[in-house]
Amino acid sequence: MIARRRAALALVLLSAAPGGAEDGYDLWLRYRTLSDARALERARTVATELVIPAGSPTLRAARDELRRGLGGLLARELPVSEAVSRDGAIVAGTPSRSSAVAALDIGADLGRAGEEGFVIRSTRVAGKKATVIAANSEVGVLYGVFRFLRLIQTGQALASLSIVEAPRVRHRLLDHWDNLNRTVERGYAGFSLWDWQKLPDYLDPRYTDYARANASIGINGTVLTNVNANATSLTAEWLAKAAALAGVFRPYGIRVYLTARFSAPIEIGGLKTADPLDPAVASWWKAKADEIYGLVPDFGGFLVKANSEGQPGPQDYGRSHADGANVLADALAPHGGVVMWRAFVYSHEAPDDRAKQAYNEFQPLDGAFRPNVLIQVKNGPVDFQPREPFHPLFGAMPKTPLVMELQITQEYLGFATHLVFLAPLYEEVLRADTHAKGEGSLVAQVVDGSLHGYARTGMAGVANVGTDRNWCGSVFACANWYAFGRLAWDPMLGSEGIADEWIRTTFGNDEALVAPVKAMMLGSREAAVDYMTPLGLHHLMAEGHHYGPGPWVDRAARPDWTSVYYHRADGQGIGFDRTATGSNAVAQYFPPVAEVLGDVRRVPESLLLWFHHVRWDHRMASGRTLWDELVGRYQAGVDAVRRMQATWRSLEGRVDAERYEEVRAFLAIQEKEARWWRDACVLYFQSLSGRPLPAGYEPAEHDLAYYEAIRKRYVPGN
Amino acid sequence: MIARRRAALALVLLSAAPGGAEDGYDLWLRYRTLSDARALERARTVATELVIPAGSPTLRAARDELRRGLGGLLARELPVSEAVSRDGAIVAGTPSRSSAVAALDIGADLGRAGEEGFVIRSTRVAGKKATVIAANSEVGVLYGVFRFLRLIQTGQALASLSIVEAPRVRHRLLDHWDNLNRTVERGYAGFSLWDWQKLPDYLDPRYTDYARANASIGINGTVLTNVNANATSLTAEWLAKAAALAGVFRPYGIRVYLTARFSAPIEIGGLKTADPLDPAVASWWKAKADEIYGLVPDFGGFLVKANSEGQPGPQDYGRSHADGANVLADALAPHGGVVMWRAFVYSHEAPDDRAKQAYNEFQPLDGAFRPNVLIQVKNGPVDFQPREPFHPLFGAMPKTPLVMELQITQEYLGFATHLVFLAPLYEEVLRADTHAKGEGSLVAQVVDGSLHGYARTGMAGVANVGTDRNWCGSVFACANWYAFGRLAWDPMLGSEGIADEWIRTTFGNDEALVAPVKAMMLGSREAAVDYMTPLGLHHLMAEGHHYGPGPWVDRAARPDWTSVYYHRADGQGIGFDRTATGSNAVAQYFPPVAEVLGDVRRVPESLLLWFHHVRWDHRMASGRTLWDELVGRYQAGVDAVRRMQATWRSLEGRVDAERYEEVRAFLAIQEKEARWWRDACVLYFQSLSGRPLPAGYEPAEHDLAYYEAIRKRYVPGN
């Protein structure tokens, strides 16, 4: 008894001790002891012993997580028992591994839980009060354990639980744009977690924590390498390294995927061609797949970026994307692997509208792909802008599973130092109505397969994790990793609920903190849109590194890499005419959508300049002219950041000093850079509109020439 | 009383808690509670309260370190008092800041302590038993605090202390070869600690821990940027970032230095020339120095690599190194800054012996430099090889202060995954006898200024720290950072004492661990010499990245970048004739040294092939032929690594699991790579010698072609 009290005490006091520095490493798996005495007592009553077999690595991981989590949250070391011996048993397992679970009458619930889901139920076992965490698969048990711990972390009632959950999407993936030299393209959190030099011989314990974090939100796959791919990653030497990582991730239900460079048969295979219809090429890919599965029996498959931004691809040989994807798919099929073929492509010629290209190239191929090919489509038709309309391919390829690709890393959203909670962006696109099968044909239903009856489904998030101690470059950026995982599990979850969970698991249940932080987070994406690209503007950033504004950029390797290509501002007005009088990109949407977007009176103002070229004196819903509205939005974005700063200052003392200071400093950077965006854009557009600044607009600190002259060097992620 | 016991308990138990994971981050500042009950009781008696003013950032740092250190080591939260109130007071301060210190009769000791030293003395203050940590400067107090904590960490007697210490070298510097994109040239511990993108706005708490670690071993300066310099680091935008770091480091007595790219006046100054004798160039450097000191009042100065490996320099304008160094020195002089000008140079033409060049270029310039110029000389005449003779410039420039440059990062020593304790290497060169003023003219006496009466002195270590959680890429690599700092403080310290301190502060005082680990460490450098470059061989590594063996390398941009240039092996023998019949490099040493080194019968066998070309059948002291001896040394190196593995395995359970596993995995890598070195070198040399392998040599796993075909890609540090 004394021993137990001592351990408890140590755990309680840990939170204030230097060894437990709040550096963000714990993420949402922060198991500090519950501060609310009643919640603590409730949880201690519900959890008094653990009954969980440990006959496999996955079940051991589940048991270890329960011990770690409950040890921290309850400040108690719970005994592990063979069988239920007291009230408060936590019984976890599969029917085949746990006789206690097998004896329960939960067959119907387990049926609903499916292959990866779980059941959590308050019940009695051997006459004692117990909480059962049951699943058909071991990874389902692990997911259930994380869910149960989150219930405790977030202060939920625990006495009469009856939860059945199953993921609505099958492939829930992080895409790492990590290079073999450990730089990360568009990475703002340090460098790649994969220490290739020491692999496969040394397995950094951080790999395990990475797997824990992903499993806790249901992510079940990770693409280790950059879509701008390097054939070296498919050599025997590097496959051994990937296999070592796969070994660490396997107990957590996470499969490893690799990017495949389409020209690998030439570069590392010694062939003269990579023509997908050449039998030698097909054989090479088959042999390569066999080699990989010999090392990684549960290898997930290939992600491919082909014929896009200079990457090689089947079009180099006059073949189609389907030809290219299928040769890889055939190689993987015997082993159960899949190909994710990216629709983010554009042809060598400058197009009339880059936004139309993916649809133009891929929609006609619907039905031409092997069953184990998924087409990976970005949320919008251009490139991860602060706001885009949903991609018109969603709903337009009923015979081809579409993976939604979201960007978690903030390439166009201020990098890691801007607090921009992305769940509202994700939610916006997932809940958009494609009208593919009439009203209520949501993008989420395309992605989860229910609209078209896809046999395979997927969601991919471009990772924002790196070697930074806090994983994502900032504490708040981790909320985007969390949000992605939760939405990949259930694309219909709401942003507010996700924010609530994340705040409570990351900062605790202090209600005086939860509400204001939630308000900050939920408003933050609209703030970024306002100070960067309001009213449907897009692609206004500086060239190359995408850090800071560059609306004046008018020269680049391609016209569609300039800003003027997109905003088309002149003395009369601004915006890209994508209606029938322009590029007619609206026609790629189903008619009810196209009619609204194509009508300047009906299009949501948030997308006005995406679809229309509008006069500066166009009257907005507010009664203001477009010019005044535009300037007002830029100002509103800055004002919103300042309100976030004020909110955060009001929380000093409610957050540990280390994380408080990080967020404070980063918000100051964000405010400075929001002003930079506002002033650079407003001054530039004013040089075209010639209109005076409306009242309420803060004068710019410098003139336009100053902003145009800014050159940023050694920007990370490039 | 209860409160105190709780805190104590928490601290005791911390060591087993997940929050206190043993990931190496704590370095030698690992303040786990003393495990020996008697030592704990002794220390608790000696330290019961703290009397230390906190009127300045440096004194606050000292007080915080005492609280952190004693809180951990004693598992007690000590009260801070205004005046001594009980037995066991720790009284720290300067005479001017602390009345308790001022009242003590320690003037003579303080005189010996000098500007940066300290006095630690057991005495009575106000009738109570006290330990006084006194110094003339605040940073001296900080150094004394670290020294006192180390006494406790290492289990020393504390009751009757009487210590006076002062550093014997003035500039004790870490040189970071960190680039502005955060890659680190020859860095094997992740990437640069300096997060330039977030500077100056965000100050990562890790910067403070970096400063603590350095201050704890007396390092008082840090060169932030790579010697292969980038002029951008001298622009206003980047100076602000450096200034922010300087602000963090200042309380710890650490000055910031920058590398100066000699062509900066052209590249960022808009001048047409960087000719050091051009008045506009001189003015530019003066203005730049003024600008820097406006931001960093205690800026240390410039480190310059000029006219070496493609770097620009004064010779581009027909000027001398002295002309180049002096123009920078004149700019810095009004502010008290120094120039460290590197002697690691070689001319564009392929030389008869690269080892002779630094001496040839610099020795004639003795006396031509301004008083605030120091010439920075590598320990040996080639380039940080596993073993080199001491550099002949030591002793040869009596009028010019020479800074010794040591490499802490293991560029040529297997990177971070090879356990190679470098103190024996450092000690070997520091204790070498130059005979410059007769016998007993040690290199250490050149470096500490005592031999020639240098007004300024310095030692510089090329840093091995990076973003890896354990700082140096491996737990044991941190011992080299530690050893460098201790030797910069006192160049006559011995390797064994340094190892003992480091082991005890890093792993604790378990005597069953200390002795075997010390033996491992002390033998490790000779093991590396044996499996890489025994008997005076050098520069046998693969081209470019220096990872692994490449004795066959015979083509490179310059002949003196090949391996064959250095080993000169053929059918008859092996070695570089640097005697009078060869390059006569021996003549650069003072006659008593030159006579020994130049005589094949007297030269130490460890340097035999450095100075002599020797027949394969040359008879060695062992009675074996040179060939048999050479092969035997390679085998001995591998055998030594295997003994290290066995030693480490015997310590399982005496080291925490995380560090145990890291070292175990890294020793396995080292054993594998030691075999790689052995087999590649022996097979290659055998292809020339045509001689059979002696008994006792393990057959190579592969043939020579296999080793020659190995290509390493994406090697870190390149």
Side-chain angles (χ1 to χ4, degrees), chain A residues 321 343 356-369 375 391-400 402 588 590:
Chain A
H321 283 293
K356 286 160 53 182
Q357 295 191 71
Y359 185 99
N360 287 347
E361 290 196 35
F362 279 85
Q363 199 280 331
L365 294 174
D366 190 29
F369 295 95
I375 301 301
H391 200 296
L393 276 174
F394 291 110
M397 293 187 75
K399 298 178 199 155
T400 311
L402 300 185
Q588 293 183 334
F590 285 90

Coordinates of all heavy atoms in Angstrom, one line a residue, chain A residues 321 343 356-369 375 391-400 402 588 590:
Chain A
H321 N -2.0 7.6 -68.1 CA -1.8 7.4 -66.7 C -2.3 6.0 -66.3 O -1.7 5.4 -65.4 CB -2.6 8.5 -65.9 CG -1.9 9.8 -65.9 ND1 -0.7 10.0 -65.2 CD2 -2.2 11.0 -66.5 CE1 -0.3 11.3 -65.4 NE2 -1.2 11.9 -66.1
A343 N -3.4 12.6 -59.0 CA -4.0 13.4 -60.1 C -3.5 14.8 -60.2 O -3.9 15.6 -61.0 CB -5.5 13.4 -59.9
K356 N -8.1 23.2 -64.5 CA -8.9 22.2 -65.3 C -8.1 20.9 -65.6 O -8.7 20.0 -66.1 CB -9.3 22.9 -66.6 CG -10.5 23.9 -66.4 CD -10.6 24.8 -67.6 CE -10.7 24.1 -68.9 NZ -10.8 25.1 -70.0
Q357 N -6.8 20.9 -65.4 CA -6.0 19.9 -66.0 C -6.2 18.5 -65.4 O -6.3 17.5 -66.1 CB -4.5 20.2 -65.9 CG -4.3 21.5 -66.8 CD -2.8 21.7 -66.9 OE1 -2.2 20.9 -67.6 NE2 -2.3 22.7 -66.3
A358 N -6.3 18.4 -64.1 CA -6.4 17.0 -63.5 C -7.7 16.4 -64.0 O -7.7 15.2 -64.4 CB -6.5 17.1 -62.0
Y359 N -8.8 17.2 -64.0 CA -10.1 16.6 -64.5 C -9.9 16.2 -66.0 O -10.3 15.1 -66.4 CB -11.1 17.7 -64.3 CG -12.5 17.3 -64.7 CD1 -13.4 16.9 -63.7 CD2 -13.0 17.3 -66.0 CE1 -14.7 16.5 -64.0 CE2 -14.2 16.9 -66.4 CZ -15.1 16.5 -65.4 OH -16.4 16.1 -65.7
N360 N -9.3 17.1 -66.8 CA -9.2 16.8 -68.2 C -8.4 15.5 -68.4 O -8.7 14.8 -69.3 CB -8.6 18.0 -68.9 CG -9.5 19.2 -69.1 OD1 -10.7 19.0 -68.8 ND2 -9.0 20.3 -69.4
E361 N -7.4 15.3 -67.7 CA -6.6 14.2 -67.9 C -7.1 12.9 -67.3 O -6.9 11.8 -67.9 CB -5.1 14.4 -67.4 CG -4.4 15.4 -68.2 CD -2.9 15.4 -67.9 OE1 -2.3 14.2 -67.6 OE2 -2.2 16.4 -67.9
F362 N -7.8 13.0 -66.2 CA -8.2 11.8 -65.5 C -9.7 11.4 -65.7 O -10.0 10.2 -65.7 CB -7.9 11.9 -64.0 CG -6.5 11.6 -63.7 CD1 -5.5 12.6 -63.8 CD2 -6.1 10.3 -63.4 CE1 -4.2 12.3 -63.6 CE2 -4.7 10.1 -63.2 CZ -3.8 11.0 -63.3
Q363 N -10.6 12.3 -65.8 CA -12.0 11.9 -65.8 C -12.2 10.9 -67.0 O -12.9 9.9 -66.8 CB -12.9 13.1 -65.9 CG -14.3 12.9 -65.6 CD -15.1 12.2 -66.7 OE1 -14.8 12.5 -67.9 NE2 -16.1 11.4 -66.4
P364 N -11.6 11.2 -68.2 CA -11.9 10.2 -69.3 C -11.3 8.8 -69.0 O -11.7 7.9 -69.7 CB -11.1 10.9 -70.5 CG -11.0 12.3 -70.1 CD -10.8 12.3 -68.6
L365 N -10.4 8.7 -68.0 CA -9.8 7.4 -67.7 C -10.7 6.6 -66.7 O -10.3 5.5 -66.4 CB -8.4 7.5 -67.2 CG -7.4 8.1 -68.2 CD1 -6.1 8.4 -67.5 CD2 -7.2 7.2 -69.4
D366 N -11.8 7.1 -66.3 CA -12.6 6.4 -65.3 C -12.9 5.0 -65.8 O -13.5 4.8 -66.9 CB -13.9 7.2 -65.0 CG -14.6 6.6 -63.8 OD1 -13.9 6.0 -62.9 OD2 -15.8 6.7 -63.7
G367 N -12.6 4.0 -65.0 CA -12.9 2.6 -65.5 C -11.7 1.9 -66.1 O -11.7 0.7 -66.3
A368 N -10.6 2.7 -66.4 CA -9.5 2.1 -67.1 C -8.4 1.6 -66.1 O -7.4 1.1 -66.6 CB -8.9 3.2 -68.0
F369 N -8.6 1.8 -64.8 CA -7.6 1.4 -63.9 C -7.9 0.0 -63.3 O -9.0 -0.4 -63.1 CB -7.5 2.4 -62.8 CG -7.1 3.8 -63.3 CD1 -8.0 4.8 -63.6 CD2 -5.7 4.1 -63.4 CE1 -7.6 6.0 -64.0 CE2 -5.3 5.3 -63.8 CZ -6.2 6.3 -64.2
I375 N -6.9 6.7 -57.3 CA -6.4 8.0 -57.8 C -6.5 9.0 -56.6 O -7.5 9.2 -56.0 CB -7.3 8.5 -59.0 CG1 -7.3 7.4 -60.1 CG2 -6.8 9.8 -59.5 CD1 -5.9 7.1 -60.6
H391 N -12.5 19.8 -55.4 CA -11.9 19.4 -56.7 C -13.1 18.7 -57.5 O -13.8 17.9 -57.0 CB -10.8 18.3 -56.5 CG -9.9 18.2 -57.6 ND1 -10.3 17.7 -58.8 CD2 -8.6 18.5 -57.8 CE1 -9.3 17.7 -59.7 NE2 -8.2 18.1 -59.0
P392 N -13.2 19.1 -58.8 CA -14.3 18.6 -59.6 C -14.2 17.1 -59.9 O -15.2 16.6 -60.4 CB -14.3 19.5 -60.9 CG -12.9 20.0 -60.9 CD -12.4 20.2 -59.5
L393 N -13.1 16.5 -59.7 CA -13.0 15.1 -59.9 C -13.9 14.3 -58.9 O -14.4 13.2 -59.2 CB -11.6 14.6 -59.8 CG -10.8 14.7 -61.1 CD1 -9.3 14.3 -60.9 CD2 -11.4 13.8 -62.3
F394 N -14.1 14.9 -57.7 CA -14.9 14.2 -56.7 C -16.3 14.1 -57.2 O -17.0 15.1 -57.5 CB -14.9 14.9 -55.4 CG -13.5 14.8 -54.7 CD1 -12.7 15.9 -54.6 CD2 -13.1 13.6 -54.2 CE1 -11.5 15.8 -54.0 CE2 -11.8 13.5 -53.6 CZ -11.0 14.6 -53.5
G395 N -16.8 12.9 -57.4 CA -18.1 12.6 -57.9 C -18.1 12.3 -59.4 O -19.1 11.7 -60.0
A396 N -17.0 12.6 -60.1 CA -16.9 12.4 -61.5 C -16.2 11.1 -61.9 O -16.0 10.9 -63.1 CB -16.2 13.7 -62.1
M397 N -15.8 10.3 -61.0 CA -15.1 9.1 -61.4 C -15.7 7.9 -60.6 O -15.1 7.3 -59.7 CB -13.6 9.2 -61.1 CG -12.9 10.2 -62.1 SD -11.1 10.2 -62.0 CE -10.7 8.7 -62.8
P398 N -17.0 7.6 -60.9 CA -17.7 6.6 -60.1 C -17.1 5.2 -60.1 O -17.3 4.4 -59.2 CB -19.1 6.6 -60.7 CG -19.0 7.2 -62.1 CD -17.8 8.2 -62.0
K399 N -16.3 4.9 -61.2 CA -15.7 3.6 -61.2 C -14.3 3.5 -60.7 O -13.7 2.4 -60.7 CB -15.7 3.1 -62.7 CG -17.0 3.0 -63.4 CD -16.9 2.6 -64.8 CE -18.1 2.9 -65.6 NZ -17.9 3.1 -67.0
T400 N -13.8 4.6 -60.2 CA -12.4 4.6 -59.8 C -12.3 5.2 -58.3 O -12.7 6.4 -58.1 CB -11.6 5.5 -60.7 OG1 -11.8 5.2 -62.0 CG2 -10.1 5.4 -60.4
L402 N -11.3 7.2 -55.4 CA -10.5 8.5 -55.2 C -10.1 8.6 -53.8 O -10.9 8.6 -52.9 CB -11.4 9.7 -55.7 CG -11.9 9.7 -57.1 CD1 -12.6 11.0 -57.4 CD2 -10.8 9.5 -58.1
Q588 N -16.8 21.8 -65.3 CA -16.3 20.5 -64.8 C -17.2 20.0 -63.6 O -17.1 18.9 -63.1 CB -14.9 20.6 -64.4 CG -13.9 20.8 -65.6 CD -12.5 20.8 -65.2 OE1 -12.1 21.1 -64.1 NE2 -11.6 20.5 -66.1
F590 N -20.9 19.3 -61.6 CA -22.2 18.9 -62.0 C -23.1 20.2 -62.1 O -22.9 21.2 -61.4 CB -22.8 17.9 -60.9 CG -22.1 16.6 -61.1 CD1 -21.0 16.2 -60.5 CD2 -22.7 15.6 -62.0 CE1 -20.4 15.0 -60.6 CE2 -22.1 14.4 -62.2 CZ -20.9 14.1 -61.5

